[in-house]
Amino acid sequence: LSRAMKIIVYWFRLLHFLRMRTSLYPTLEITQTEIKAVRDRLIIICQRMYLSEYELLSKGLPLPSKSSLLSLNPFIDSDGFVRMNGRLIQAPQLAYNDRYPKILPYEGIFTKLFVKHVHVCSIHGGQALMMRLIRMAFERIYASRLPPSTYSIT
C-alpha cells in the first residue's frame, strides 16, 4: 500500500506540473501531507464506489430501511467522507476523527490493501491486534467479516 501511495503521489505531482507548467516540489522527497492527501482521496473514491448509500447521503435523501449503514447514522462531512454519527459526539474532549469515524466498505480494494498493510506492520499480528490498529484509523471497516485470506501474504 505504501508503495502504491508513493506512486500515486508522483502521479499527482506530474498532473500538477502538466497543468500549471511549474513545479511546487524542489526535491523528490514525499511529505506526510502528500501521503495523507492521497489516502483521503482514495478513501473517498472507495466510499463512492462501494457504498451504494453515498449518492443518497450526498443528496440528503433518507437511507432505505434495509441499509446496513442505517444503524450507524451516517453522514457526509464537509470533506466528502462518509462518517458515523454515534454516542461519541457526547465526548467533546475527543478529536473530530475519533467522534465521527470514517466508514470504509469491506469490499473495497483500498480497504483490503489497508488491512494487508496493517497485518504486515503489526508483524503478522492476530485479529484482535489488527482490529485495534484498524479502528485507530477507521471505526467501521467490518474487518471481522474479512476472511484471513484477505490479509495473509501469499
Side-chain angles (χ1 to χ4, degrees), residues 4-152:
M5 292 191 39
K6 288 177 184 177
I7 291 169
I8 294 171
V9 166
Y10 286 125
W11 185 71
F12 280 126
R13 282 183 175 188
L14 176 64
L15 286 177
H16 181 268
F17 177 76
L18 292 175
R19 277 191 213 138
M20 304 297 177
R21 297 289 181 202
T22 60
S23 176
L24 296 175
Y25 313 101
T27 66
L28 290 177
E29 292 181 22
I30 296 175
T31 65
Q32 288 291 42
T33 306
E34 291 176 295
I35 292 285
K36 183 182 178 307
V38 166
R39 188 191 71 209
D40 290 348
R41 286 183 183 183
L42 290 174
I43 291 168
I44 292 172
I45 290 169
C46 184
Q47 289 178 336
R48 285 184 178 170
M49 286 179 63
Y50 293 100
L51 291 178
S52 57
E53 296 88 352
Y54 192 94
E55 191 69 28
L56 294 172
L57 289 170
S58 64
K59 292 180 180 178
L61 299 172
L63 296 179
S65 59
K66 293 185 180 185
S67 172
S68 60
L69 294 181
L70 194 59
S71 63
L72 301 176
N73 194 12
F75 70 97
I76 295 181
D77 69 0
S78 60
D79 295 326
F81 295 111
V82 177
R83 296 179 177 268
M84 70 175 276
N85 194 4
R87 59 191 164 102
L88 293 176
I89 62 171
Q90 305 297 328
Q93 69 273 16
L94 292 177
Y96 181 79
N97 285 332
D98 295 333
R99 282 186 294 172
Y100 305 103
K102 297 171 188 151
I103 301 171
L104 285 181
Y106 73 93
E107 304 97 359
I109 295 168
F110 175 78
T111 307
K112 291 178 182 179
L113 288 173
F114 181 74
V115 170
K116 281 185 181 180
H117 177 72
V118 170
H119 181 66
V120 170
C121 288
S122 67
I123 311 170
H124 306 283
Q127 189 172 15
L129 174 61
M130 284 184 48
M131 289 299 296
R132 178 66 191 130
L133 293 173
I134 288 169
R135 285 191 172 138
M136 285 173 67
F138 310 104
E139 176 65 25
R140 294 294 179 203
I141 214 171
Y142 299 111
S144 59
R145 299 190 328 195
L146 288 171
S149 63
T150 303
Y151 52 82
S152 65

